[in-house]
Amino acid sequence: MSDRGTAPSAGPWGAGEPPVEVRKIASGYAFTGPALDLGALLWDGACHPGVSVRVPLPVLNRHGLVAGATGTGKTKTLQLIAEQLSAQGVPVFLADIKGDLSGIARPGRDDDRVRERAAEVGQEWTPAGFPAEFLALGGHGHGIPVRATITGFGPVLLAKALGLNHTQEQSLALVFHYADTKGLELIDLKDLRAVVAFLTSDEGRTELRGIGGLSAATAGVILRALTAFEAQGMADFFGEPEFDTADLLRTAPDGRGIVSVLELPAVQDKPLLFSTFLMWLLADLFHDLPEIGDADKPRLVFFFDEAHLLFDDASRAFLDSITQTVRLIRSKGVGVFFVTQSPKDVPGDVLAQLGNRVQHALRAFTPDDEKALRATVRTFPRSAYDLEELLTGLGTGEAVVTVLGETGAPTPVAATRLRAPESLMGPVDAAALDEAVHTSPLHGRYAQAVDRESAYERLGAARPPGPAAPVGGTGAAPREEKEEPSLVEQVVASGVFRSLARSVGTQLGREITRSLFGTARRRRRR
C-alpha cells in the first residue's frame, strides 16, 4: 500500500464510509484538551484533511523523538512544533545546526507551495513571527554568548568533551574534588591547567595523599588534551559570566513562550563540544528546577539536535546519567526531544522513555540501512500500515506519527502530511539578527566576558616576591607555551602554597555539591 498522494479527497473519506482502520486512527487523535496540530492523515494514497493528527499539550513533557534521513523535513517539523508551543505560552529551546531556524522570529512568505500544502492538510495558514532569543556558544556567531565555568561544567561532561577514557575521567574528577574543597575556583581552562600542574609537582602530590593520587602519565594526558582543546579555539566557551538556564524559561509580554535559538553553524566542526554543552544546559535545568509532577503544559520543551553525537563512545556511567536525567526531568516540567537520523542512534534505555514519535523517511540503500529500517519498524506499535514500505516512500514533509494520548496510552500509528510552519522557513539576514541580539535584555548581562581572580591567579600569587626576572628576558614575557612550566616552578618554589590553599578553602566555604553529571549545584540568580 502506498502512502503517497498529491491532492486531498473530496471529503474526509471520499464518496463512502471510511475504512475501519481510518476510523480507529481518527478516534485515537480526537483529543478534548489543548493540543498541537501536526498535520492530516495519509491513507491509501490520499491526504484526508478531515482527520487531524495531533499531540496533547500536557504530554509534551513525556519526551519525544524526531528522526529521519537528511533532507526529509526534520528541521521544519521542529519549527512547526516550536511555533505552536510558543503560541500556547511554552518556552522552547532549539539547537540550530544548519543556521536556518532563525526565521522563526519573522512571518513566513505566502507562496504557491505554502498555499498548496495548507489546502492539502486543511490548515488556515497565516504568516506569523514568534518571540525569539538568539544564542551562540562562547560568542562564536551572532547570538548572545553562552558560556559555562569549568567548575559549573564539571568533570564528567568535560571528560566527554576532551575525549578522556574512564581512568582519566576519574583522575579529572579528583582534580575537581581537590579544587572544590580548597575553594580554588575553576573558571576557565588556564585555571584547570594550573591546578593539574600543581598536583603533579612534588609538593602538590602530598595534598592528594589522603584521597588518592594523580599519576604523572594521566596528568600529562589531561594537560595535553587541554592544550589541544584550547588550540582548537575552545577557550572562549569557558568563562564568565556563566549562562543562567533560568533565562530559557521566559515568556514574552503577550504571554507567548520565548523560543531560544542556539546558533551552531560556527561550531559545526566541533560536534562533540556542542552536544556536550547541550547536555550541560539540560543537566543544569535538571538540578535547578523544583518538582511539579504532571501539569497542564510543560515549563520548557528542549530539542536536542544531532543527538547521536552525545551517545557515541559514551561510557556506561555517562549513559546511565543521561537515562536518569531524562527519566526524572519529566516531573520538573521539561520535555526533551532527541533529533537524529535513525532511532538506533539513541540507546534503548533512553528510547524507551520517548513517548512521542515523529519518524520521517528512512533510506535503505545498503544492508546496514535495511537492518536499521527493520529495527525502526519494530519500535512502533502494531498498525495497519506496511511500515517498511511506508517509511521508505514518505516524501519531504511527511512522517509516521505516534504520540501519547490524554490517558497516557499510545495513539495509533498515523502516516501524516505535516502542516506548513507560519514563520519564515529559512534564516533571517545577518543585520536583522545582530539588531535582535543587541536589543535583547540579555545582551548587557552576557555579551562582555569577565576574567576575575580564580585558581590561576591564586596559584600565581603564592610565589614569593623576588627581583629575579624570568629566564630569557627582563620584564613581562608574552604568553607562550613555556608559561605553563614556569607556573609549576613558581608554585613548587613557594613554601606557602599549602597553607594558602587551606586558608582559601576555609574562607570561601565547603566543597561544592555536584549533580549526576558532576555539574556544580549552586544557588543561581533568579
Side-chain angles (χ1 to χ4, degrees), residues 132-377:
E133 196 74 70
F134 299 105
L135 311 173
L137 282 186
H140 284 231
H142 295 274
I144 301 291
V146 174
R147 304 180 187 91
T149 63
I150 294 292
T151 285
F153 205 73
V156 178
L157 290 174
L158 186 60
K160 172 73 172 171
L162 292 173
L164 303 182
N165 64 29
H166 181 62
T167 300
Q168 293 154 2
E169 177 184 321
Q170 289 180 321
S171 296
L172 186 62
L174 189 63
V175 173
F176 272 76
H177 173 70
Y178 176 80
D180 288 351
T181 57
K182 298 302 181 182
L184 293 170
E185 289 191 90
L186 305 176
I187 303 299
D188 50 28
L189 292 176
K190 70 179 184 297
D191 291 323
L192 183 56
R193 283 205 318 269
V195 174
V196 174
F198 170 74
L199 291 176
T200 54
S201 68
D202 290 339
E203 186 172 357
R205 279 194 289 270
T206 65
E207 291 287 302
L208 291 175
R209 193 166 291 164
I211 56 174
L214 179 65
S215 73
T218 300
V221 171
I222 294 173
L223 286 172
R224 287 193 296 274
L226 289 171
T227 300
F229 201 58
E230 192 164 12
Q232 295 170 26
M234 306 299 193
D236 293 339
F237 303 108
F238 296 97
E240 290 184 320
E242 184 173 54
F243 188 78
D244 188 344
T245 50
D247 288 322
L248 301 177
L249 305 174
R250 295 175 299 136
T251 55
D254 62 5
R256 291 183 297 172
I258 290 179
V259 182
S260 298
V261 181
L262 181 65
E263 180 186 354
L264 293 172
V267 292
Q268 282 192 77
D269 59 338
K270 304 172 180 66
L272 189 58
L273 175 73
F274 73 67
S275 68
T276 312
F277 247 89
L278 293 183
M279 196 65 232
W280 170 73
L281 290 171
L282 194 59
D284 197 69
L285 285 164
F286 170 71
H287 68 60
D288 267 11
L289 291 175
E291 299 273 342
I292 63 169
D294 290 326
D296 293 337
K297 61 183 180 182
R299 273 196 178 121
L300 172 75
V301 176
F302 191 104
F303 288 91
F304 205 128
D305 207 352
E306 297 291 344
H308 65 281
L309 298 169
L310 185 68
F311 303 113
D312 288 347
D313 301 320
S315 67
R316 183 69 254 173
F318 189 82
L319 292 176
D320 288 344
S321 296
I322 294 174
T323 303
Q324 189 168 357
T325 299
V326 172
R327 180 184 299 119
L328 298 179
I329 204 170
R330 177 192 68 78
S331 63
K332 300 191 175 191
V334 177
V336 184
F337 275 70
F338 292 96
V339 185
T340 189
Q341 293 196 12
S342 171
K344 70 181 180 61
D345 297 333
V346 181
D349 289 345
V350 177
L351 192 64
Q353 298 179 58
L354 310 183
N356 304 295
R357 297 275 300 277
V358 180
Q359 177 66 61
H360 289 264
L362 291 174
R363 309 300 181 216
F365 298 136
T366 69
D368 286 343
D369 291 342
E370 292 180 357
K371 183 178 178 181
L373 174 62
R374 289 192 294 270
T376 298
V377 169

